[in-house]
Amino acid sequence: MNAVAEKETQTEVQPASAEREYVTPGVSIIETDQGYVLEAEMPGVNKQGLTVSLEANVLTLEGRRQTAQVPGTLLYRESSNADFRRVFELDPEIDGARISARIEQGLLTVQLPKAEKVKPRKIEVA
């Protein structure tokens, strides 16, 4: 059973409202003994432009990339502002109170620890 399931259909650009379009960041999900690690690629997004929220077992990742203002006359630019968004439904086996996140060089890493009751444990035999 997969403990992290995507809530929305993945597309390159998702219209979330009439005014905004979101870019779907690429993700990797890794299972460890302690839980899951979700890595989302959000190039150009920093901590100030990032929101990670959890509501009723729904994890929402949103990031905003803004291009830097340059002094002088801009002649050419390939990068642009972008809003990233991805939504996942989490299995109840994930301990929502212990979720943590960090972003480094455009890679968001979210730690999704398993609840203590679902972790395997060794039982002593008397």
Side-chain angles (χ1 to χ4, degrees), residues 58-76:
V58 175
L59 179 71
T60 303
L61 313 175
E62 290 185 309
R64 180 171 189 84
R65 173 179 67 206
Q66 294 200 315
T67 54
Q69 296 298 321
V70 294
T73 303
L74 180 66
L75 298 178
Y76 182 74

Side-chain angles (χ1 to χ4, degrees), residues 1-5 36 57 88-96 113 118:
M1 171 162 63
N2 192 357
V4 183
Y36 302 88
N57 283 349
F88 299 91
E89 185 170 347
L90 302 182
D91 192 284
E93 76 178 39
I94 293 174
D95 186 351
V118 297

Side-chain angles (χ1 to χ4, degrees), residues 8 15 20 27 31 33-34 39 43 50 54 57-58 63 66-67 69 71-72 74 92 98-99 104 106 108 111 119 125:
E8 297 176 4
R20 287 177 95 168
V27 299
E31 183 175 12
D33 291 339
Q34 300 301 312
E39 296 177 336
L50 181 65
L54 178 66
N57 283 349
V58 175
Q66 294 200 315
T67 54
Q69 296 298 321
L74 180 66
R98 294 182 25 231
I99 293 174
E104 190 173 307
L108 172 64
Q111 300 289 333
K119 286 184 185 175
V125 179

